Amino acid sequence: MTLFLAMKLLIVASTVLLVVSLSLFARLQDVFHFIRHPELGLRAFLAMYIIVPAVALAFIVLFDLRPGVELALLVIALSPVPPRLPSKQHKSGAENAYVTGLLVTSALVSLVVMPVGLHVMGTWFGRDIEVSTAGIAKTLAITVLIPLIIGLVAQKVLGERSERVARILARLSMVMLAVGVLVVFVMIAPGMWALVGRGTLIALAAMVVIGLLAGYALGGPLPGNRSALALATSMRHPGVALGVIATTFPDAHPPLMAIIVFTLLNVIISIPFLKLVQRSRGAP
């Protein structure tokens, strides 16, 4: 087993533990939150799967991006919510039901939107982009659905101890993630410089910023939920995006690097955004 593969498995394991810890606080009815509140679901769909893909298409048309970066923009724009995001969304003051519902609904919607959207947009640009729905489903099942079910069941078994177990799992998850991301970053850092120039960084950063603004504008009346949708709209599931690129274009390194850079830009930009939103609400 290579070091890179070991770190990838470590990051996936940390994600699974985090979703289990989050679901220890969730309720079964939270999973169906957007079914019970369809207007919130429509707002989220508009922000995530209409506005952001439109922005990606605009940058592809307007900028002379490096080969492969256009593909990365399309894949990012159609990917679901990352499993690690709910921890940030809870800190933003979002409702548990809204966060859990958004995570699950986004995963299910992407099973249809992602393969169909990539095929349509690929045809538009004269490229053959066929994505395996089964592959996307497998990634989402491992990182979202199965850990969610495990956490909900464990919550019933553990009872009052579930909160303590959730905190332990969350801390362990963060340690595992920190180690995995640090090692991977050191390994891929030299290749990232190839993405500088020709509007690549501008396009990736703009997708983050516009995603934050669109999500916050369409997140509904509650400020915490607006922040949650802002984060969800700008930050997408890197595991799904990387998996689609790796299986569809195994030798395409620029789009893989672009997705990793996009993930790093998300962290850099979303932190001050959250602080700004909290200050505007008078939150500590």
Side-chain angles (χ1 to χ4, degrees):
M1 179 184 294
T2 65
L3 179 60
F4 184 83
L5 178 58
M7 292 302 101
K8 180 181 177 181
L9 292 175
L10 185 66
I11 293 172
V12 171
S14 75
T15 297
V16 170
L17 287 182
L18 181 65
V19 176
V20 172
S21 71
L22 292 170
S23 60
L24 285 170
F25 292 102
R27 300 172 300 172
L28 183 59
Q29 57 265 39
D30 294 346
V31 174
F32 307 102
H33 184 70
F34 281 79
I35 295 177
R36 292 185 283 114
H37 302 280
E39 73 284 358
L40 296 178
L42 289 174
R43 285 171 172 265
F45 183 85
L46 176 61
M48 293 182 64
Y49 296 115
I50 300 298
I51 293 178
V52 173
V55 172
L57 289 173
F59 275 103
I60 291 172
V61 172
L62 296 175
F63 283 71
D64 180 25
L65 299 173
R66 293 185 182 276
V69 174
E70 304 101 320
L71 175 62
L73 293 182
L74 296 179
V75 171
I76 289 168
L78 295 171
S79 294
V81 176
R84 190 160 294 278
L85 185 59
S87 61
K88 289 187 177 184
Q89 292 174 317
H90 284 303
K91 292 178 182 179
S92 71
E95 297 176 308
N96 288 339
Y98 188 92
V99 171
T100 303
L102 186 59
L103 177 67
V104 175
T105 303
S106 170
L108 295 176
V109 169
S110 69
L111 292 176
V112 177
V113 170
M114 197 170 194
V116 173
L118 286 175
H119 175 76
V120 171
M121 286 190 261
T123 301
W124 186 9
F125 287 103
R127 300 189 179 187
D128 184 19
I129 307 177
E130 297 295 339
V131 179
S132 170
T133 303
I136 299 173
K138 181 180 178 181
T139 301
L140 293 175
I142 293 173
T143 59
V144 178
L145 299 180
I146 293 176
L148 181 66
I149 293 172
I150 292 173
L152 290 171
V153 173
Q155 182 186 139
K156 301 298 183 183
V157 175
L158 294 172
E160 295 181 355
R161 292 175 295 174
S162 61
E163 184 174 341
R164 180 184 176 188
V165 173
R167 289 197 179 97
I168 293 173
L169 291 179
R171 292 193 187 105
L172 179 60
S173 168
M174 291 306 297
V175 173
M176 293 167 63
L177 177 68
V179 173
V181 169
L182 180 61
V183 174
V184 170
F185 179 77
V186 171
M187 294 177 67
I188 67 172
M192 288 186 178
W193 292 108
L195 294 178
V196 177
R198 292 173 61 174
T200 299
L201 291 180
I202 294 175
L204 293 172
M207 283 185 64
V208 175
V209 173
I210 294 173
L212 287 169
L213 296 176
Y216 194 78
L218 293 168
L222 299 181
N225 291 350
R226 295 175 70 183
S227 297
L229 184 58
L231 291 171
T233 305
S234 67
M235 190 179 299
R236 303 306 178 88
H237 197 316
V240 172
L242 290 171
V244 169
I245 296 295
T247 55
T248 309
F249 299 92
D251 298 324
H253 296 295
L256 293 175
M257 293 296 176
I259 290 171
I260 294 172
V261 171
F262 175 81
T263 304
L264 294 174
L265 287 173
N266 250 298
V267 175
I268 296 171
I269 297 173
S270 65
I271 291 175
F273 172 82
L274 278 179
K275 290 183 177 179
L276 181 63
V277 169
Q278 290 172 348
R279 285 179 185 174
S280 67
R281 301 203 313 256

